Every structure is written in C-alpha cells, then in structure tokens.
C-alpha cells in the first residue's frame, strides 16, 4: 500500500496525521449540533428566570434552527472561496462568542442574540465536517468516515435532552453554556496544530441575488414549518411563510441551473443515487426528531416522569446509535448500500409499529427496548445512505452535495416535528371534551396517531430503498 493511501495530503503536498484532524472536526461539530436541542428541557426555567412567555422562549430554539439552516447552503460557496482551516476558525470562533454571550446573558434579547451567533457557527460546521471527512479518507474507507459523522449528527441531539435535564434540575440553566466554553477553547487550540488545508480553492464569483434568494426562501420555509409545529398548520402565518419559501426556492433553483457559476450546484440531483439517498435519509431523520419530541411528552404527561428521567429513557437508544454508526460505515465499505439499507429499514419498520399502540400501562423497559431497536435500524441506514449518495459525486461537487444533503435534512427535521406534533394536536382537539380540557384518552390517541404518521413515512422510505442500486464504492456515476 502506498504512503499516500495511508496518510492524507494537504494542498501543499505534505502528509499529515488523519486522527488529530478528524478529532478536531468531530469535537467541533458535536459541540455545535448539541446546541440544537440543548435548551428544550430548560425552557420552563428560562421562562421563569427571564419572565418571558412560551412563544418568546420557543424562539430561542427556532432562531437557532433558522440561522443554522440559512448558513448551510452558503457553506458550499465559502468552502471554495476561503481555506477550510480559516472557515473552521470562523465557525468555531462565532460559536464560542455566541456561547459566551448566552452564558453571561441576564435578559431575553441578549440570550437570543447569543443563540443567533452560535447558529452561524453551527450552520457552517455541519457541512464543513461532512465535506472534509469525505476528502480526508480514500474512497474505499468513506463508509467508515461517514460512520464517524453519524455519531456526531445523530448522537449529539439525542443525548442533549438528558444532559440538559440533569443540569437544569440541579443547577442554573446558564451552566448549559458554561460547561461548553472550556471544551470549545481546547478544541480551537488543538485546531491550530491539527487542522490542515485540503481543499484547492476555485474562488467562484459570488452571485448576490442567489445568496438573497437562498436566505429568503429557506428562511421563510423553515419559519413557516416551525410556526406550524407551535400553533398548527391552519395558522395564516404558517401558510404564507411556507408558500413564499417554496416559490422563492423554485426561483432560486431555476437561476442556479442557468448561471455559469451557480451559488449552489443543483446538478448533483442528476445523480440518481444521490437524489434517492438524500430523500430517504431526510425522511428517516424527520421521524427521528419527531419521535424525540413525542416520547418525552408520553413519559412526562402520561407516565409522570421528570425531565431527567425522560431523557434517561432515550439515552440507551442514543448509545446504540453511537455504537452502530461506525460499524455500519465499515459494513457499507465491505458490502455496498442495498443490503445494509434493506436490513436497517426492516428493523426500523418492525420496531416502529408497536408505538402506534402505547397505553398508560405500557412498560418502560419495553419502550426503551423498542426505541433502542429503532436507533439500531436508523444507525444501519442513515450514514451509509448519505455516503452512497455523496460517493456518487465527483470530488469537485462534494461540497455542494454536502451542503444540499444537510439543507434537506434540516428542513425535513423541522417538517417531521411539525407533522407529528400537528397530527397529535389535531387528534387531541378532535377527541377532547371542551368542558374537561385535554383528557388522558385523547392525549394517548394523539400520541398514537403522531407515531402512526412516522410509521407511514418509514414505510415510504422502505419502499424507496428497493429502487437503490449497490455500486462498488469506487464507482462514480456518469
């Protein structure tokens, strides 16, 4: 085996150690992603401390998702304009500044500002890591690389509610940010030694109108979906925002296909493998995020567990996901995508069905086992599929593929939460007595129907898996 197959090479032709490079990337992305769901269980304490209502509190999460989602498509342009080392420091520096502001905040506006600055770094880090991980590993080991990516992307939001629940039960909510600061500092310090430039810059011309359309379209769509998750799909703001977002995104897409230097290269969708895998992964991810919202509602409202106990119920599944992701990556490298995807989807489908029949008497150990089995199925499918999709692209389109892959996943994650919570809320409204408020049977019916919507989506994703081909990892589509 040649030396350049063992060690990666930077843009100057110098070999460097992959381990340190990967560690810095994964740690940085883990810290930024965990903040997406870190405040979920802390919102009641923040509302009380800062004297704000539920709508204002929800904006601390919504704003993070919006800004992060808007920044993701921009990453493809930035990765070809400034060095990846500089972009890493910009992303982590922004996240660090935002974290300091959040930790020191004494007012709602200050906390919201800190979350927005954090989100800028998070939106850049996610596609940056995925692109660099693809380029720093040879083609025959990209499944392994994306298995490591899977640990970060799926594992970090899964453990955030548990960590958050423990901290807010015993300490001030600001410690959610204080504990991050020294870790962020150490990671930035290590990056000075281990982060290398591995992308040859093409320095495309910035099309400001495309940037405007991308931000407006994606921002409007994400805002509308998030509003739907909070107040329902019947709300005027929901429909107007979603329609504006969809129309602007269509205009943006048509422009990208016409200009010579597109802001975001949509021709990646010419790859059948990339298109199919992106859709399937997005559907699976939306059911994962939606389930992580519904299950705590069940355990806290029906089983009357605390936020910490509720988080601990999800923890074994998160651990299973973290363990299986790198294993699934190696299996992909060895056997290709179709077999492992079909096995993973079968496990996910079987494990999801019993959630349609939850009752107050359902044993917690049974829920923990089923949820862990669902995470096993997801771990076998998500990152191998993402790998197969991006592997089908030439190297010069990987940054665009990563940006699009993450953008679609971000939109579908918000959509999944809005659909499942929307179905639950509509069912509760239908079966509740106006004079008695929300009854236990109506809440259970709502939760079961919410999980039914997830099950239907999983079945659709399973069917789409039959359309996959399983090329050898080094084969590129024409």
């Amino acid at each position: 085996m040649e030396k350049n197959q063992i060690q990666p090479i930077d843009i100057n032709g110098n070999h460097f150690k992959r381990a340190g490079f990967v560690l810095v990337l994964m740690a940085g992305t883990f810290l930024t992603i965990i903040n997406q769901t870190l405040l979920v269980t802390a919102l009641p304490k923040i509302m009380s401390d800062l004297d704000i209502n539920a709508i204002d509190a929800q904006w601390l999460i919504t704003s993070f998702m919006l800004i992060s989602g808007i920044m993701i498509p921009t990453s493809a342009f930035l990765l070809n304009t400034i060095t990846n080392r500089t972009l890493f420091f910009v992303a982590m520096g922004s996240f660090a500044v935002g974290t300091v502001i959040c930790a020191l905040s004494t007012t709602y506006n200050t906390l919201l500002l800190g979350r927005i600055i954090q989100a800028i770094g998070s939106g850049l880090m996610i596609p940056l890591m995925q692109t660099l991980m693809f380029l720093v590993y040879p083609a025959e080991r990209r499944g392994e690389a994306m298995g490591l990516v899977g640990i970060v992307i799926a594992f970090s939001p899964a453990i955030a509610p548990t960590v958050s629940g423990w901290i807010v039960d015993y300490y001030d909510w600001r410690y959610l940010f204080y504990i991050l600061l020294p870790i962020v500092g150490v990671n930035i310090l290590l990056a000075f030694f281990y982060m290398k430039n591995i992308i040859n810059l093409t320095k495309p011309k910035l099309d400001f109108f495309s940037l405007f359309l991308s931000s407006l379209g994606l921002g409007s769509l994400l805002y509308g979906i998030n509003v739907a998750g909070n107040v329902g799909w019947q709300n005027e703001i929901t429909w107007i925002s979603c329609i504006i977002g969809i129309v602007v995104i269509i205009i943006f897409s048509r422009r990208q296909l016409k200009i010579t230097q597109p802001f975001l290269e949509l021709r990646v969708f010419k790859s059948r493998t990339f298109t199919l895998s992106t859709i399937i992964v997005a559907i699976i991810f939306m059911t994962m995020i939606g389930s992580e919202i519904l299950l705590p509602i069940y355990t806290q409202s029906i089983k009357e567990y605390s936020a910490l106990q509720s988080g601990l119920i999800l923890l074994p599944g998160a651990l299973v996901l973290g363990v299986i992701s790198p294993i699934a990556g190696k299996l992909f490298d060895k056997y290709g995508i179709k077999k492992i995807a079909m096995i993973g989807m079968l496990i996910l489908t079987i494990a999801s069905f019993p959630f349609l029949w939850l009752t107050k008497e359902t044993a917690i150990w049974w829920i923990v086992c089923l949820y862990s089995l669902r995470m096993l199925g997801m771990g076998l499918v998500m990152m191998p599929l993402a790998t197969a999709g991006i592997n089908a692209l030439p190297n010069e389109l990987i940054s665009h593929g990563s940006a699009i892959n993450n953008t679609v996943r971000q939109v579908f994650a918000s959509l999944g939460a809005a659909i499942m919570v929307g179905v639950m809320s509509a069912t509760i409204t239908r079966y509740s007595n106006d004079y008695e408020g929300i009854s236990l049977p109506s809440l259970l019916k709502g939760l079961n129907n919410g999980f039914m919507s997830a099950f239907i989506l999983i079945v659709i994703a399973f069917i789409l898996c039959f359309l996959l081909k399983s090329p050898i990892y080094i084969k590129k589509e024409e």
Side-chain angles (χ1 to χ4, degrees):
M1 185 176 289
E2 296 178 7
K3 186 177 180 181
N4 63 358
Q5 291 180 297
I6 299 173
Q7 293 183 336
I9 303 173
D10 64 18
I11 59 174
N12 297 315
N14 300 317
H15 292 276
F16 63 93
K17 293 183 178 179
R18 183 184 292 111
F21 184 93
V22 169
L23 176 63
V24 166
L25 265 182
M26 289 184 62
T29 312
F30 179 88
L31 291 167
T32 59
I33 293 181
I34 200 172
N35 268 266
Q36 290 183 356
T37 52
L38 192 64
L39 293 189
V40 172
T41 52
L43 289 184
K45 294 283 183 71
I46 295 174
M47 289 167 60
S48 175
D49 188 28
L50 300 182
D51 192 23
I52 57 175
N53 58 36
I55 295 176
D56 288 338
Q58 189 62 38
W59 263 105
L60 295 172
I61 297 174
T62 302
S63 63
F64 191 97
M65 299 291 286
L66 279 176
I67 302 301
S68 179
I70 289 171
M71 291 303 299
I72 288 174
T74 310
S75 67
F77 170 80
L78 294 176
L79 272 167
N80 288 292
T81 305
I82 61 177
T83 64
N84 60 262
R85 192 171 190 268
T86 300
L87 189 58
F88 177 88
F89 286 119
V90 169
M92 288 307 298
S94 172
F95 181 76
V97 170
T99 303
V100 170
I101 294 174
C102 289
L104 300 177
S105 61
T106 55
T107 65
Y108 169 73
N109 288 336
T110 308
L111 181 58
L112 182 62
L113 175 64
R115 290 287 289 170
I116 290 172
I117 297 174
Q118 275 188 321
I120 293 173
S122 177
L124 292 174
M125 273 301 302
I126 299 171
L128 173 65
M129 177 190 71
Q130 192 163 310
T131 301
L132 295 182
M133 289 289 282
F134 244 79
L135 295 177
V136 82
Y137 278 85
E140 66 272 15
R141 293 183 59 190
R142 284 178 174 172
E144 175 188 344
M146 290 298 281
L148 296 175
V149 171
I151 296 176
V152 175
I153 290 179
F155 181 58
S156 47
I159 69 163
T162 306
V163 175
S164 177
W166 173 66
I167 290 175
V168 299
D169 276 353
Y170 295 100
Y171 305 99
D172 185 274
W173 57 267
R174 292 174 182 84
Y175 278 89
L176 292 170
F177 303 105
Y178 283 130
I179 61 173
L180 292 177
L181 285 174
I183 307 174
V184 172
V186 170
N187 193 58
I188 291 175
L189 181 62
L190 290 174
F192 278 101
F193 300 98
Y194 294 115
M195 180 55 55
K196 308 294 181 182
N197 289 320
I198 62 172
I199 297 179
N200 290 304
L201 303 180
T202 58
K203 296 191 176 180
K205 182 181 178 182
L206 175 61
D207 180 27
F208 287 99
F209 189 49
S210 291
L211 174 60
F212 169 75
L213 290 174
S214 170
S215 301
L216 176 62
L218 193 56
S220 297
L221 182 59
L222 283 170
Y223 176 71
I225 292 172
N226 277 282
V227 170
N230 294 329
V231 299
W233 289 98
Q234 73 283 356
N235 187 276
E236 274 187 12
I237 297 176
T238 297
W239 284 105
I240 293 172
S241 297
C242 286
I243 290 172
I244 290 173
I246 291 170
V247 170
V248 174
I249 288 173
I250 291 172
I251 296 172
F252 168 80
S253 300
R254 288 175 64 89
R255 182 173 180 81
Q256 302 317 295
L257 296 173
K258 291 180 179 179
I259 59 179
T260 54
Q261 287 188 316
F263 179 75
L264 194 61
E265 183 56 88
L266 299 182
R267 292 178 180 85
V268 295
F269 286 113
K270 288 184 176 180
S271 165
R272 181 173 179 269
T273 301
F274 176 83
T275 303
L276 262 179
S277 64
T278 299
I279 293 171
I280 296 170
V281 170
I283 292 174
I284 295 170
F285 202 72
M286 69 191 290
T287 64
M288 184 183 83
I289 298 299
S291 298
E292 287 173 359
I293 293 175
L294 293 193
L295 266 181
I297 293 175
Y298 170 79
T299 53
Q300 293 178 47
S301 299
I302 304 296
K303 291 291 191 178
E304 299 181 346
Y305 288 142
S306 69
L308 175 58
Q309 290 172 320
S310 180
L312 289 172
I313 289 170
L314 301 180
L315 187 58
L319 293 174
V320 169
L321 185 62
V323 170
I324 198 64
S325 289
I327 296 174
K330 291 186 177 182
L331 290 174
F332 166 78
D333 287 336
K334 187 173 183 179
Y335 299 108
I337 186 57
K338 190 160 187 175
K339 288 182 180 178
I340 189 172
M342 297 300 290
I343 293 171
M345 286 305 304
L346 180 62
I347 293 172
L348 178 56
T349 305
I350 293 172
S352 297
F353 186 70
F355 283 95
L356 278 62
W357 315 103
L358 292 179
T359 67
K360 184 175 174 58
E361 290 72 34
T362 303
I364 286 298
W365 67 265
W366 177 237
I367 293 173
V368 171
C369 290
L370 285 174
Y371 183 72
S372 298
L373 193 60
R374 287 184 85 241
M375 291 295 105
L376 174 65
M378 287 185 180
L380 286 171
V381 175
M382 282 201 297
M383 285 303 106
L385 273 171
T387 308
I390 300 179
N391 231 11
L393 304 175
N395 281 350
E396 62 270 18
L397 290 182
I398 285 178
S399 61
H400 292 271
S402 296
I404 290 172
N405 183 284
N406 283 283
T407 301
V408 173
R409 189 168 58 230
Q410 185 90 341
V411 171
F412 272 61
S414 299
L415 187 60
I419 288 175
M420 292 175 68
V421 172
V423 169
M424 180 191 73
S425 300
T427 305
I428 291 172
T429 301
R430 180 181 176 186
Y431 287 93
S432 289
N433 187 314
D434 291 336
Y435 298 100
E436 297 178 2
I438 298 175
S439 63
L440 182 64
S442 66
L443 179 56
L444 273 171
K445 184 71 174 177
L447 285 165
N448 289 336
N449 283 354
F451 282 114
M452 180 180 291
S453 65
F455 180 76
I456 292 170
L457 289 168
I458 289 169
V459 170
I460 292 172
F462 195 2
I463 294 171
L464 290 176
C465 282
F466 285 93
L467 303 177
L468 288 169
K469 294 180 180 179
S470 193
I472 300 173
Y473 48 75
I474 57 173
K475 182 179 179 181
K476 297 290 182 185
E477 293 188 359
E478 297 297 323

